[in-house]
Amino acid sequence: MGASFSMTHLASALVTLLFGATVIAVRLKAADRPTSLRKIIIPPIGMSTGFAMFLVPATHIPWLWALGAFVAGAVFFSYPLIRTSTFERRGEHVYLTRSKAFIVIIIALLAIRLLLHDLVEQAVTIPQTGALFFLLAFGMILPWRLAMARQYRSLTKKSEEAGN
């Protein structure tokens, strides 16, 4: 049982690290291409399909826990991402600017997630742990992307007003 648990734990950690590396790579690549409002809002919309997991009774958690996970993501985890996500206009296009701090923040968030995962997993089942971390992640991405959309609209509106 101990070997099985450690292999599961190792696999979970590796998947988390792979996800983090993918996020960093996608973000760095995105800085080379113009962005759009659609590209900003699609990730939280796509991620929202994950709420279907709550149709499975094994993922059910108390409402207060769900709210706490969402708020923790929104308050503590989204803030550094919001602060390091900026846009710039290059000609007619808007680009997400690269930030060295973003990479550091993503790595720190991954480390915190791995540490918290071990703690949470001791108190609740694995499906409930997944549900809590989904809500934490959604709480992080939603305000971050809404802030990005607001910033994008502000930048494009200023350009439209200057053009008229």
Side-chain angles (χ1 to χ4, degrees):
M1 181 100 175
S4 172
F5 172 77
S6 63
M7 288 304 289
T8 302
H9 188 269
L10 179 63
S12 174
L14 289 175
V15 167
T16 299
L17 293 173
L18 180 64
F19 173 75
T22 302
V23 167
I24 291 169
V26 167
R27 176 69 185 265
L28 292 176
K29 193 174 180 183
D32 295 333
R33 294 191 193 117
T35 194
S36 66
L37 192 56
R38 182 176 185 203
K39 289 180 182 178
I40 293 168
I41 63 171
I42 289 294
I45 291 171
M47 188 177 174
S48 69
T49 62
F51 281 102
M53 86 169 78
F54 292 104
L55 295 173
V56 177
T59 62
H60 293 180
I61 53 175
W63 282 102
L64 196 55
W65 294 9
L67 181 63
F70 183 86
V71 169
V75 173
F76 300 112
F77 292 98
S78 70
Y79 180 75
L81 295 172
I82 291 168
R83 298 284 300 162
T84 59
S85 296
T86 56
F87 296 96
E88 67 180 2
R89 185 168 265 298
R90 295 184 211 153
E92 293 183 21
H93 300 289
V94 176
Y95 291 82
L96 186 60
T97 57
R98 285 188 182 175
S99 169
K100 291 177 183 157
F102 177 81
I103 295 168
V104 173
I105 289 165
I106 289 296
I107 291 169
L109 290 174
L110 285 171
I112 291 167
R113 185 208 179 279
L114 286 170
L115 293 171
L116 284 176
H117 194 276
D118 287 345
L119 235 95
V120 171
E121 204 171 69
Q122 293 174 14
V124 296
T125 67
I126 291 173
Q128 289 173 324
T129 301
L132 286 168
F133 278 96
F134 168 80
L135 290 168
L136 180 87
F138 194 76
M140 175 184 73
I141 197 172
L142 186 64
W144 174 37
R145 292 301 178 131
L146 288 173
M148 288 173 69
R150 191 170 30 253
Q151 185 182 3
Y152 177 87
R153 279 302 300 148
S154 175
L155 185 62
T156 56
K157 188 176 182 177
K158 286 178 189 174
S159 297
E160 289 169 3
E161 289 172 357
N164 289 334

